[in-house]
Amino acid sequence: MRFYDYHVWANKIIFNRLKELPQHLYNQEIQSVFSSVSKVMAHIYKVDCGWLDILMGKSMNDAMKDSYEIEADAEARSLEELEAMYDDLSVRFRACIDEHPDIEKEVVLDNPYAGILNTRYSEFIIQVVNHGTYHRGNLSAMLRQLGSSSVMTEYGLFMYQDELIPSMSPVHAN
């Protein structure tokens, strides 16, 4: 649960940083892992939605099919609209985790690209957080390419969040 809370916190830190930057940077095209910051944010959102669907019982194949429409919709949104979508998704994801009858239950995951995997529902949450962390790293490098700094979203900083003054601005990454 706390690991998922970290994911939500880190995404919020990123959204807050992106709102501080010149608005045009959000959709500006660059040569990088993704062609724009908005595409990274839409991708993370799409994947989170897919894993929530899988956690709720949808097949991975169906979740992946639905993800193309989800991603296209997310890419068409403004930063503020996508942030509201993330907020809603995090509430739904957290409720699913809280209400799940057995988050440690073994389940068979049928990945259309990788095959069958025996795993646990809790592993899906680890995947969501790890995937988000990976792409927040991409985003940090992309912001540097665009001439801006990112913010620290490391788990170590999150562990201290309750100790920090609430009005404290995020730590900028150099």
Side-chain angles (χ1 to χ4, degrees):
M1 212 43 185
R2 185 148 165 85
F3 205 42
Y4 182 73
D5 290 344
Y6 156 69
H7 179 64
V8 172
W9 171 85
N11 285 336
K12 184 57 80 176
I13 294 293
I14 290 294
F15 273 110
N16 288 343
R17 176 61 180 143
L18 292 175
K19 288 186 291 188
E20 294 172 353
L21 299 175
Q23 195 172 15
H24 74 277
L25 291 182
Y26 184 63
N27 291 308
Q28 185 172 327
E29 297 248 342
I30 59 170
Q31 284 290 125
S32 194
V33 178
F34 287 84
S35 60
S36 70
V37 168
S38 61
K39 288 192 183 296
V40 178
M41 298 304 289
H43 175 77
I44 297 169
Y45 178 78
K46 167 194 87 164
V47 171
D48 283 14
C49 287
W51 281 107
L52 176 58
D53 284 346
I54 295 165
L55 187 60
M56 294 174 67
K58 188 180 274 190
S59 74
M60 183 174 226
N61 196 39
D62 288 344
M64 290 173 79
K65 285 178 188 173
D66 294 345
S67 73
Y68 296 109
E69 188 175 314
I70 290 168
E71 188 169 35
D73 179 53
E75 286 178 8
R77 302 298 181 119
S78 70
L79 176 65
E80 292 76 14
E81 289 171 326
L82 187 58
E83 181 180 27
M85 291 164 62
Y86 263 99
D87 291 346
D88 177 65
L89 176 61
S90 67
V91 169
R92 290 185 292 124
F93 211 114
R94 180 71 190 241
C96 181
I97 295 169
D98 287 342
E99 297 165 8
H100 200 280
D102 186 359
I103 203 75
E104 293 302 327
K105 181 181 178 183
E106 290 194 13
V107 63
V108 176
L109 181 66
D110 185 1
N111 183 320
Y113 301 107
I116 301 294
L117 176 67
N118 293 311
T119 187
R120 295 183 316 271
Y121 286 113
S122 60
E123 297 275 8
F124 301 167
I125 299 162
I126 293 168
Q127 168 56 26
V128 165
V129 177
N130 190 54
H131 177 262
T133 299
Y134 175 76
H135 287 304
R136 285 186 296 270
N138 294 149
L139 182 66
S140 184
M142 291 170 70
L143 288 175
R144 176 68 57 207
Q145 272 184 269
L146 291 166
S148 297
S149 64
S150 187
V151 286
M152 288 179 51
T153 59
E154 294 179 13
Y155 188 76
L157 183 59
F158 169 76
M159 293 187 312
Y160 286 93
Q161 72 156 339
D162 294 334
E163 304 299 320
L164 298 173
I165 300 167
S167 62
M168 182 178 151
S169 62
V171 178
H172 289 267
N174 294 326

